[in-house]
Structures are given as C-alpha cells and as structure tokens.
C-alpha cells in the first residue's frame, strides 16, 4: 500500500494488484482508496485520477450523504430483528452499560459522549455486536427454517458467523452460513439473503439460472431487494 497526497482529495491510498484489470476507486472513512493493475506507472495513475475527478467528487458526496444517515445520537432507536436497540443517557461518565429490558437492548451511554467519534463508535459497536451475536444464534436459524420451509426446501446445515463483508455463504457441501449482521436488516432483506444462499444449493454461481431461481424464491423482487441491500446504511459496524 502506497500513500500520496492529492491537492483536491487529500490523502490517497494506492494498491497495485496483479489481479486487477481496471482501476477501482472507493471512499472509506473519508479517505480515497485506489486499486490499479500492477503494471500501471505513476504517470498513468495521475492521468486516470484527472480523467475521473468528477466521478470522484460524486463518490465523496455519496460518502458524506451516507455518513449523515449513519450518525447516531443518544435517544436514537436502532432497528434490530427480534428487538430494537435503544441508546439512552447513562450515569457513568466513562463506560457503556448494556442490559435487556424485554426484547429491547438498552445501551446506557457515557455522559456527553460523541457516538460518531471513531474510537467511541468502535466501543459502542463492539458491545452491541456481542449481545446481538448471542441473540442471532437462536433467531436466525428459526428464520432460516421458516423461509426454507415456505419454499419447500429440506433443512440443510446452518451456522451463524461474524462476517461483515459476506452476509451469507453456501459451501460446495451444501452448508450455509449466515452473518449475525443480518440482525440489523429489515425482515425482507434477511429473507432475501436467505433465498440467495438457498438458490446456491442448486447453482454455485451467479449465472442466469441462479438469478432466475433466486428471483422466484424472492417472489419476483430479486433485483429490487439486491439494490436495497447494497444501499442499506448499517448503523453498527
């Protein structure tokens, strides 16, 4: 990973990848990440940056808009499958405190805490995820059985994992793993991920036959649900 400074976008993190066949831009935590084919020269990289400045401005604008959607404040209620998460003012000036009140996970936040400051947000997320992961161990398998039963599919081995980038995975052995991060999704998107993995039991690819089957499982809404999932703003990371 190389780092250089751009006059307009500030710090840029560059990675040369022998598998890359084109230039890929993404914005993460306010920084621009650029992946280029390994054979690219500095001159080529500079030219690509200049040719794509308008596109990069749009990427940063979308990043800022998404970040605004993800801002948290004391008093917020975060939707969660099986019971919401409530961010409440706490009496401890330094620590987050967690407890269940019925199905609601109550989070008592430190006084005057900025929940969007990266280190504070990381501590908050770590605590919330610990509790939600435990709940996911029982709730997601039940949901999985409901969806597969509705589709007439026999039960298959299922586990609940901690992955964030992959919300679901189906192995060649016909074993499915769901990420506990599904708990932060609305029910229709939880079901979409489950349907997606169930379709992989027949087609271990993303070809036309796979998408036709997945679309049937989703009641004809696969494309719409896929777009919703891609733009979903996870408030806990």
């Amino acid at each position: 990973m190389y780092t250089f400074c751009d006059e307009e976008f500030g710090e840029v993190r560059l990675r040369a990848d022998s598998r890359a066949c084109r230039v890929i831009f993404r914005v993460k935590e306010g920084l621009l990440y650029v992946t280029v084919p390994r054979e690219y020269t500095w001159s080529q990289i500079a030219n690509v940056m200049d040719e794509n400045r308008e596109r990069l401005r749009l990427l940063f604008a979308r990043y800022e808009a998404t970040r605004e959607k993800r801002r948290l404040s004391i008093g917020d209620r975060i939707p969660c499958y099986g019971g919401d998460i409530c961010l409440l003012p706490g009496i401890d000036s330094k620590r987050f405190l967690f407890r269940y009140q019925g199905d609601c996970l109550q989070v008592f936040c430190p006084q005057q805490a900025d929940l969007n400051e990266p280190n504070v947000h990381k501590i908050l997320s770590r605590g919330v995820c610990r509790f939600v992961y435990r709940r996911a161990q029982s709730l997601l398998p039940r949901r999985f059985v409901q969806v597969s039963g509705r589709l007439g599919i026999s039960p298959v081995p299922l586990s609940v994992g901690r992955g964030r980038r992959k919300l679901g995975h189906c192995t060649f052995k016909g074993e499915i793993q769901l990420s506990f991060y599904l708990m932060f999704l609305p029910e229709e998107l939880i079901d979409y991920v489950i349907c997606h993995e169930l379709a992989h039991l027949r087609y271990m690819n993303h070809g036309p036959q796979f998408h036709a089957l997945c679309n049937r499982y989703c009641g004809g809404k696969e494309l719409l649900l896929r777009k919703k999932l891609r733009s979903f703003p996870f408030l806990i990371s």
Side-chain angles (χ1 to χ4, degrees):
M1 183 80 71
Y2 301 93
T3 301
F4 65 94
C5 187
D6 180 83
E7 290 185 0
E8 182 175 3
F9 302 115
E11 183 177 329
V12 178
R13 298 189 178 180
L14 177 72
R15 184 169 70 95
D17 189 338
S18 59
R19 297 169 299 176
C21 55
R22 60 187 178 86
V23 178
I24 301 171
F25 299 108
R26 62 190 178 96
V27 177
K28 181 179 178 182
E29 296 180 354
L31 298 178
L32 176 61
Y33 288 76
V34 183
T35 301
V36 300
R38 188 171 292 278
E39 65 273 11
Y40 264 48
T41 65
W42 281 105
S43 176
Q44 287 176 299
I45 294 167
N47 288 337
V48 170
M49 287 278 296
D50 287 339
E51 291 169 359
N52 287 274
R53 289 200 172 269
E54 188 57 39
R55 177 185 167 194
L56 293 175
R57 292 183 192 110
L58 288 174
L59 276 180
F60 273 94
R62 288 173 189 162
Y63 167 79
E64 290 298 331
T66 301
R67 191 171 69 162
E68 281 302 310
K69 289 182 182 178
R70 292 175 176 167
R71 290 188 66 82
L72 295 174
S73 301
I74 294 175
D76 285 351
R77 192 179 188 96
I78 302 173
C80 186
Y81 181 57
D84 292 348
I85 301 161
C86 299
L87 305 180
L88 303 172
I91 57 174
D92 193 302
S93 61
K94 296 182 179 179
R95 293 187 303 158
F96 286 96
L97 300 175
F98 303 84
R99 76 173 185 188
Y100 275 109
Q101 182 70 36
D103 289 332
C104 178
L105 175 60
Q106 295 181 328
V107 183
F108 296 92
C109 305
Q111 298 173 10
Q112 299 179 341
D114 179 1
L115 304 183
N116 303 292
E117 195 278 322
N119 288 330
V120 175
H121 186 82
K122 185 181 295 185
I123 295 170
L124 168 64
S125 294
R126 190 179 299 145
V128 168
C129 287
R130 186 170 65 249
F131 282 86
V132 173
Y133 176 74
R134 292 174 191 163
R135 177 176 275 187
Q137 297 296 319
S138 59
L139 293 186
L140 288 181
R142 287 184 213 164
R143 189 79 184 193
F144 181 80
V145 169
Q146 291 172 3
V147 174
S148 56
R150 186 174 72 239
L151 297 173
I153 299 173
S154 301
V156 298
L158 175 75
S159 61
V160 177
R162 297 178 180 271
R164 169 66 178 84
R165 294 189 65 185
K166 277 192 174 183
L167 296 177
H169 176 66
C170 180
T171 71
F172 283 99
K173 294 181 179 180
E175 300 169 347
I176 290 177
Q177 183 179 85
L178 300 176
S179 169
F180 85 98
Y181 275 95
L182 293 185
M183 298 286 286
F184 300 113
L185 295 174
E187 292 183 4
E188 67 171 358
L189 293 183
I190 295 175
D191 291 354
Y192 163 67
V193 174
I194 292 174
C195 289
H196 184 103
E197 300 311 324
L198 289 172
H200 276 312
L201 292 173
R202 287 188 59 186
Y203 302 105
M204 291 298 294
N205 55 51
H206 290 102
Q209 290 177 309
F210 165 82
H211 285 295
L213 180 61
C214 184
N215 189 51
R216 181 159 63 83
Y217 286 170
C218 294
K221 298 192 297 182
E222 185 210 14
L223 184 57
L224 174 63
L225 294 170
R226 191 195 319 166
K227 288 181 178 179
K228 284 186 177 181
L229 182 60
R230 285 178 176 173
S231 61
F232 183 82
F234 283 92
L235 300 179
I236 297 296
S237 57

